[in-house]
Structures are given as structure tokens and as C-alpha cells.
Amino acid sequence: MTEKTEIMNRAASAATVETMSSNGTAELTDTTDTRKQLQIFLLIAYGVTLVMGLLTWYGSTISADLSAFPNAQMFYPAAGVMLAYLITCRKDSLLPKCFYICFLCVTVLMLLCAAGAVAMPGQMMDLNGQSISLWSMLSQYVMIGGTILCWIALLISGRKRRAAYGLRWQNWKTSLFCILVFLGLYFGRAVLAYLADGQSDVVLAIVQDPATWIYLLVTPLNFVIAFAAFFGEEYGWRYYLQPIMQKRFGLRGGVLLLGVAWGVWHIFLDFFFYTTPDRGLIMTISQIITCVTLGIFFAWAYMKTDNIWVPVILHFLNNNLSVVVANTYSADILQNQQVTWGMIPAALLLNGILFGLFLFAKEFRKN
């Protein structure tokens, strides 16, 4: 028996989440523990989001700084998975407890920063001549410091534990290929959008701007100090929930439904942070389109590589490169966006063609 097979079998047996099929792949089984795990995951991923969403709504009524809420919310899905495994698989020697506990602690601190912004609004500080919310600054420190600690905890967990719970980097060539394909489609979408609006000069301005290339050069470093938030979503959606949805609704149907569930999960941010309440419905529909189409590509990349770090990197690139394609290097680019119904057809067409067509890739045609 190989080391990899032994790790997979032990993790599956301890977690009672998977059984090994005749071809050596993992298959989900409907057991008491798997149902309990799913309940815990949903309680954290959606229950905590609901409670914090109500705080987001209240914070918008008192003009509180809500910038800590989106980053905190990104931690909840993975936190739900980790808490579920810590409760149901606590006797498994391969459980990466150190990493899980570290991540959960960072999640709690991020949640407290977000709640503090509403409980004690108006706490402002001067930073390099600019006024910034105390809670926003604290959340950034927590995320950076927590990310570094999570890296350390992940490394000391050991190779076997990382492999047993889907935390190991693997399939280098295929993983790099998926990342490069995404970058090509991402920038291609931006170019097509600008050309369709007759703004080819903006594309040229972005390419000629030194800030563009400086930002791209430091992007890998930004990932190192901020990966935890993006891991927080992808470990929950792609690693944990996607196989469950695909088992119950099919390879394609499961991914499509997951995209809708992922999009709706943003609803409070759509109404009270990303835009104003009067445009919240437009933003929600736009969010669902984005999550469904990007979710297809992320699912394809994950199925092709069996490497959770690929969708984590893709999610990071999707969020952080938005300042490049928008040609606006501002931390407030995502807040109070001006969206209209007229933007929906273009978003559906571009995202549907560039990312949605991957639903017909061979990875989705397997049994």
C-alpha cells in the first residue's frame, strides 16, 4: 500500500465522510457524521453570515465603516468545515488540528473587528495623513498576522496531514496551466468590455501605466500575506460543498446550484456594502451571474488538478486584479458601486461565454 493510499483510507475511515470506490477514488456516503458535518458547516457558513448580515444592515443605518465585514465573511465557510471536522473527527491522528484551530482563532478575531465597527462606530485614526477606521485597520492587521500564523501552522502540520485533508499542493504543471488560462480569460474579458464601450484608449493607458506593472509584481507577495481569506471561501465551497452538491445533483447540476448558493450568500453585502439598498437587487443578480460562471471555472480547475490551492489563487486574482482592469488603485473600489440593469446582459454574455462554457469540458462528462 502506498503512502498516499494509506493516508486517504485512514482519513476516510476516521471522518466517515468517504468510502473508497473500486477505482481508488473517494465517494461520499450518507452517514450520521456526514449529516452532522453538513449541519455544522451550514450553521457557520450561513448562520453566522445571517447574524453578521443583520449587523451590516444596522451599520449602514448609522453610517458605520463596514469595510471589515466582507473580509470577515470570507473566513466563515472554511471555519464551518474545520469546526465540523474537529467535532466529528477529533480522534483522527491525521487531523491538522493546529492549522484548524489557528484559522478558527483568526476567524473569531475578524468577526470581532467587524462587530466592533458597528458597536463602536466613529473610531477613526490618522495614518499617513489619511483618516481610517480603527476597526478597518485592526482587521487588516489581524488578517495579515493571522495569515502568517496560518502558514506556520500549515507547515508544521506535516505532509501527511495536509494530504489527508486536501491541503497539499500537487499537480504543478496542470495547476499552472489552469492559472494561466484564467489570467488570459480575465484580462481578455476586460479588453473586450472596454472595446465594446469604445474605450480602447483606457486599455492603452492601463498597459502604459507603470503602476500596473508594479502592482502585478507585488501581487504574489500580497497573496502570501492575505491567502487566508480566499482559502476561507474555497475550502468551504470547492473542497467541502462542491463534492456533496455534485454527488446529489450531478457534476454539472451540483456546480450550478453551488454557484447560486454562493451568490445568494453575498446578499447582505450586495445590499449594504457593494452598493446601496436601492440597487441591491441588481447587485445580487449580478453577483449570482458572477458566482455561477466563475464557479464553473473554479470547479473545472479543481476537478482537473485536485488541488484546492488553484481555486484559492484564482479567487485571489479575481478580487485583487480588479483594481488593475478598473485602472483605479483604491481600497474603496468595491464599495458603493454604481450598477444598473443595463450591465446585466453584458455580464451574462461575457462571463457565460468565457467561463460558463467550461461546463462542457470533459471533466464534467465523467461518471
Side-chain angles (χ1 to χ4, degrees):
M1 180 182 294
T2 65
E3 179 184 280
K4 180 179 180 181
T5 304
E6 180 184 2
I7 291 173
M8 292 179 67
N9 285 336
R10 289 186 61 189
S13 175
T16 61
V17 175
E18 301 170 336
T19 57
M20 302 307 295
S21 67
S22 59
N23 63 359
T25 58
E27 292 184 346
L28 294 173
T29 58
D30 188 18
T31 67
T32 301
D33 278 353
T34 58
R35 289 194 294 270
K36 186 176 182 180
Q37 288 166 0
L38 182 59
Q39 291 168 358
I40 295 171
F41 169 78
L42 293 175
L43 179 64
I44 303 300
Y46 283 93
V48 174
T49 298
L50 173 61
V51 174
M52 296 302 290
L54 294 175
L55 278 182
T56 308
W57 162 74
Y58 175 71
S60 69
T61 65
I62 60 174
S63 299
D65 178 20
L66 303 176
S67 57
F69 279 83
N71 287 336
Q73 185 167 320
M74 294 176 76
F75 283 77
Y76 305 156
V81 178
M82 294 175 181
L83 187 61
Y85 285 165
L86 284 170
I87 292 174
T88 61
C89 311
R90 56 186 177 275
K91 295 181 180 180
D92 182 14
S93 61
L94 291 177
L95 187 69
K97 294 181 182 179
C98 180
F99 174 63
Y100 280 6
I101 292 173
C102 181
F103 190 93
L104 287 171
C105 289
V106 177
T107 302
V108 171
L109 291 176
M110 292 294 294
L111 186 152
L112 291 175
C113 286
V118 174
M120 291 182 285
Q123 304 292 319
M124 306 300 292
M125 296 188 66
D126 185 75
L127 184 65
N128 296 327
Q130 293 184 341
S131 181
I132 184 173
S133 165
L134 170 65
W135 299 106
S136 177
M137 186 176 67
L138 283 177
S139 70
Q140 292 299 314
Y141 287 153
V142 168
M143 186 165 66
I144 294 173
T147 295
I148 294 172
L149 290 176
C150 283
W151 276 123
I152 296 172
L154 185 63
L155 290 173
I156 65 177
S157 293
R159 185 168 174 266
K160 289 184 177 182
R161 289 188 178 90
R162 291 196 298 271
Y165 283 83
L167 299 168
R168 182 181 174 188
W169 176 278
Q170 56 190 1
N171 298 323
W172 272 93
K173 292 182 180 179
T174 308
S175 297
L176 181 60
F177 169 75
C178 291
I179 294 169
L180 292 176
V181 169
F182 177 78
L183 287 173
L185 294 174
Y186 185 87
F187 288 120
R189 180 184 60 178
V191 171
L192 289 174
Y194 278 123
L195 292 179
D197 288 340
Q199 301 183 59
S200 56
D201 56 319
V202 177
V203 177
L204 187 60
I206 293 173
V207 173
Q208 293 178 339
D209 188 353
T212 298
W213 303 103
I214 294 173
Y215 186 86
L216 291 176
L217 286 173
V218 301
T219 294
L221 176 60
N222 289 337
F223 176 78
V224 172
I225 62 175
F227 92 91
F230 304 93
F231 177 87
E233 285 203 46
E234 294 307 314
Y235 197 64
W237 304 132
R238 241 57 62 184
Y239 172 75
Y240 177 74
L241 194 56
Q242 179 179 308
I244 293 176
M245 298 291 282
Q246 289 182 309
K247 178 69 176 178
R248 296 188 179 184
F249 303 105
L251 295 183
R252 292 193 177 105
V255 167
L256 292 175
L257 289 174
L258 174 59
V260 174
W262 184 23
V264 172
W265 177 76
H266 293 86
I267 192 166
F268 284 100
L269 296 176
D270 290 335
F271 272 80
F272 305 113
F273 180 79
Y274 293 136
T275 189
T276 50
D278 58 309
R279 299 174 185 265
L281 181 60
I282 307 174
M283 179 58 76
T284 300
I285 294 175
S286 177
Q287 186 79 259
I288 292 174
I289 292 172
T290 299
C291 289
V292 169
T293 52
L294 280 182
I296 291 170
F297 188 88
F298 288 4
W300 168 78
Y302 181 49
M303 294 166 68
K304 192 174 184 66
T305 63
D306 195 27
N307 183 354
I308 192 59
W309 294 102
V310 173
V312 171
I313 291 172
L314 298 183
H315 197 152
F316 167 83
L317 292 174
N318 179 73
N319 288 28
N320 283 268
L321 294 182
S322 60
V323 297
V324 174
V325 298
N327 200 26
T328 304
Y329 295 90
S330 170
D332 300 327
I333 187 174
L334 296 177
Q335 192 169 4
N336 296 325
Q337 299 175 50
Q338 298 300 310
V339 293
T340 65
W341 286 111
M343 296 178 178
I344 299 297
L348 182 59
L349 181 64
L350 277 176
N351 286 308
I353 293 176
L354 295 178
F355 298 113
L357 287 179
F358 280 85
L359 193 66
F360 301 99
K362 66 178 182 179
E363 284 72 19
F364 289 99
R365 295 197 298 269
K366 297 177 181 178
N367 292 326

